[in-house]
Amino acid sequence: MQTLLRTPLYERHVALGARLVPFAGWEMPVQYEGVISEHLAVRRDAGVFDVSHMGELEVEGPRARELLQSLVSNDLDRIGPGQAQYTLLTNEHGGIVDDLIVYERDPQRFLLIVNASNREADFEWLRERELRGSEVRDVSDASALLAVQGPRVIERLGLPAAPAFTFAPGAIDGVECVVNRTGYTGEEGVELLVSAESAGELWDRVLERGAVPCGLGARDTLRLEVCYPLHGNDIDQETDAISAGLGWVCALDKEFTGADELRRIKDAGPERRLVAFVMEEAGIPRQGMAIAEGGEVTSGSHSPMLARGIGMGYVPADFAQPGSELTIDVRGRPRRARVVRKPIYARDGEES
Amino acid sequence: MAAAENYPDELRYHREHDWARIENGEAVFGITWFAQDALGELVHFEAPEEGATLTRDQPYAEVESVKAVSDVIAPLSGEVLEVNAAVVDAPETVNEDPYGAGWLVRVRLSDPGEADSLMDVEAYKQHLAEA
């Protein structure tokens, strides 16, 4: 028997009539009203996601920065206190242990918000490499995280404007939280880091201000439309960051785990690349489906904004150019698709 | 907008949550309110061809929502006379009206006697209660 973990907001999800499913060992809402209506609420107005299952790891001390710089792909010298950065934990092969956001609280105190599925693995990865003068702590259980996303979020929550990838202490109707200007949907919005004890109250206030409750189903269709990778689908320990199209997140002039291999792959040119594609015939691509040109689908779904199937997958470099025709094996039926530039969906209505 | 839960009296039901409306040696098939609710809003209907032979208890089509794909099971055997093009174009019609505009196929029955193996509405509701 395996018990699923529950976030502090579980009872509220039940009361809202959410359909709950297992995800990364947690019992999470996949939808409330419906995936498509929730997706549209985020694109048009404001939606709120309980992402408290994600992991929060603190890395602190005089050598915390040094430790992180040696392990993450991006360059922490590009940020300062109050700023955040999307980055990768890479292994010796340039493979991706996790993708995450690092928040610099001050030059000796960093917070890493990591995928729920990799929380323990990331903690061990950092702990095994801890330097004297750096300390790694898993503070996930004390924290909850609400992602509030959509073009009307800042207005509805009464927040001041602030640049993307910054963060600051704040409050929503008296509930204290850290307001992170980050998100996984391609829309404006925030991720609110709050104590587990105050999570319920914050959720209630956010709903009162008109955000629609949204589940993991919509979270997946939203991120896929803007081609944000999902670890475990599009990227994992076996996929190198260059082939995955994440070279832009790698400071290759810095020394970090796997940098040598990534430089080699970049110079030689990757043999396979992670591309985005749209279906040109009816059918929904799904993870694991074969691509006849020599690859496989890593993520796929119906796109509410494009009203057709969309996906990402690895193909041989020769087929990675936008406009390339692909053939997806949709449960035994070959269906045509076309490689497009990322993102598949952009807010101003432009499609690749 | 999904329909409210309902199961019409005049239909016959299959345990895999498909319904049949039988009239003069022909039948129309669809999926029940329970099936569309379990799947969520449909985004794709993979239909059989006109003229295809359907066999009772065997899958003849697929319906797909954002999160799940499901085989549609033939309640009775027969030959496909017509596929509902409106559902092919707008699969969410099944969620809005699973027994009316959301019908899937019309068939000529090859063995009308098979209808005896289907459930009436009370038996189907009982089946749902036991699930």
Side-chain angles (χ1 to χ4, degrees):
Chain A
M1 186 190 81
Q2 185 204 3
T3 314
L4 295 171
L5 299 170
R6 293 173 175 174
T7 75
L9 299 174
Y10 174 82
E11 293 297 338
R12 283 169 168 76
H13 301 320
V14 173
L16 285 167
R19 179 168 307 180
L20 297 156
V21 296
F23 181 83
W26 295 78
E27 194 171 2
M28 297 300 288
V30 69
Q31 66 175 60
Y32 303 80
E33 283 296 314
V35 176
I36 294 177
S37 67
E38 293 163 30
H39 182 114
L40 295 175
V42 170
R43 289 271 178 253
R44 294 173 180 161
D45 192 330
V48 57
F49 301 81
D50 175 11
V51 288
S52 302
H53 58 324
M54 295 184 73
E56 288 84 19
L57 308 177
E58 289 179 342
V59 184
E60 300 188 340
R63 295 180 76 191
R65 185 184 216 92
E66 180 188 340
L67 173 67
L68 286 173
Q69 280 283 58
S70 73
L71 298 179
V72 299
S73 65
N74 211 338
D75 186 2
L76 285 172
D77 286 346
R78 299 180 67 188
I79 64 168
Q83 293 182 306
Q85 187 179 67
Y86 177 57
T87 192
L88 311 173
L89 277 176
T90 46
N91 61 33
E92 305 74 37
H93 309 293
I96 301 168
V97 172
D98 205 5
D99 66 332
L100 60 125
I101 297 184
V102 59
Y103 299 78
E104 179 170 339
R105 290 167 157 170
D106 71 36
Q108 296 192 2
R109 293 169 55 236
F110 296 85
L111 178 73
L112 278 56
I113 298 190
V114 302
N115 282 299
S117 54
N118 297 322
R119 166 188 158 185
E120 284 88 3
D122 292 353
F123 179 63
E124 285 309 314
W125 185 266
L126 293 164
R127 270 282 295 265
E128 282 165 8
R129 294 159 178 78
E130 235 174 357
L131 305 169
R132 279 174 93 74
S134 70
E135 196 185 332
V136 181
R137 277 186 300 272
D138 183 340
V139 298
S140 309
D141 290 339
S143 316
L145 190 66
L146 274 59
V148 197
Q149 301 279 302
R152 296 194 61 202
V153 163
I154 303 303
E155 170 198 336
R156 282 188 177 277
L157 296 186
L159 291 169
F165 283 89
T166 63
F167 66 99
I172 307 290
D173 293 325
V175 184
E176 291 182 358
C177 54
V178 179
V179 181
N180 302 321
R181 307 292 175 134
T182 49
Y184 192 53
T185 61
E187 297 300 327
E188 299 259 323
V190 296
E191 295 178 314
L192 304 175
L193 185 64
V194 63
S195 69
E197 296 78 40
S198 299
E201 203 188 336
L202 181 61
W203 173 271
D204 293 342
R205 301 290 88 77
V206 169
L207 285 196
E208 279 161 16
R209 283 176 170 265
V212 169
C214 298
L216 296 183
R219 187 166 167 79
D220 189 46
T221 50
L222 286 160
R223 69 93 191 169
L224 184 58
E225 280 185 343
V226 293
C227 302
Y228 291 173
L230 174 61
H231 195 274
N233 280 45
D234 313 298
I235 55 177
D236 59 34
Q237 293 92 327
E238 312 298 318
T239 62
D240 70 86
I242 303 298
S243 301
L246 294 174
W248 64 276
V249 177
C250 299
L252 292 179
D253 51 357
K254 185 184 76 160
E255 291 313 315
F256 61 92
T257 308
D260 271 348
E261 181 61 11
L262 291 172
R263 286 187 282 260
R264 187 197 68 72
I265 295 169
K266 182 178 176 189
D267 289 341
E271 290 172 10
R272 300 199 316 162
R273 290 183 38 209
L274 181 68
V275 299
F277 59 86
V278 299
M279 298 305 294
E280 294 192 308
E281 297 184 276
I284 312 291
R286 300 285 182 186
Q287 180 185 25
M289 287 181 177
I291 301 176
E293 289 71 19
E296 67 278 346
V297 177
T298 53
S299 287
S301 193
H302 170 80
S303 161
M305 301 310 288
L306 276 70
R308 62 173 68 211
I310 64 171
M312 294 201 287
Y314 285 94
V315 298
D318 286 346
F319 290 93
Q321 305 316 310
S324 298
E325 293 288 322
L326 303 178
T327 314
I328 316 292
D329 178 350
V330 182
R331 289 188 296 281
R333 299 175 295 264
R335 291 285 156 87
R336 279 180 298 112
R338 184 181 83 250
V339 176
V340 296
R341 276 193 311 279
K342 300 170 188 166
I344 297 171
Y345 166 79
R347 178 126 37 106
D348 55 8
E350 262 181 39
E351 288 165 30
S352 300
Chain B
M1 197 68 207
E5 184 165 15
N6 75 108
Y7 305 100
D9 291 339
E10 74 278 9
L11 303 180
R12 307 285 295 178
Y13 295 85
H14 187 282
R15 66 186 174 282
E16 293 293 343
H17 311 296
D18 308 86
W19 56 263
R21 177 178 288 117
I22 303 166
E23 214 165 59
N24 301 329
E26 289 185 9
V28 176
F29 298 160
I31 65 171
T32 68
W33 186 93
F34 177 86
Q36 67 79 32
D37 182 65
L39 283 162
E41 184 173 342
L42 296 191
V43 297
H44 183 61
F45 171 44
E46 191 72 32
E49 308 253 326
E50 276 180 22
T53 300
L54 307 192
T55 306
R56 177 180 69 158
D57 298 337
Q58 298 301 311
Y60 72 92
E62 286 173 10
V63 286
E64 193 164 3
S65 67
V66 177
K67 296 306 290 182
V69 62
S70 184
D71 282 334
V72 185
I73 304 300
L76 303 167
S77 306
E79 178 196 334
V80 177
L81 297 175
E82 189 184 355
V83 168
N84 188 350
V87 168
V88 172
D89 288 341
E92 67 275 14
T93 308
V94 175
N95 303 99
E96 292 157 7
D97 188 6
Y99 307 107
W103 65 273
L104 298 182
V105 295
R106 187 165 58 87
V107 308
R108 176 178 299 111
L109 296 176
S110 55
D111 181 2
E114 286 179 335
D116 293 342
S117 69
L118 297 178
M119 292 180 259
D120 66 12
V121 64
E122 290 311 316
Y124 180 65
K125 285 180 181 174
Q126 180 68 20
H127 175 60
L128 289 179
E130 287 161 2

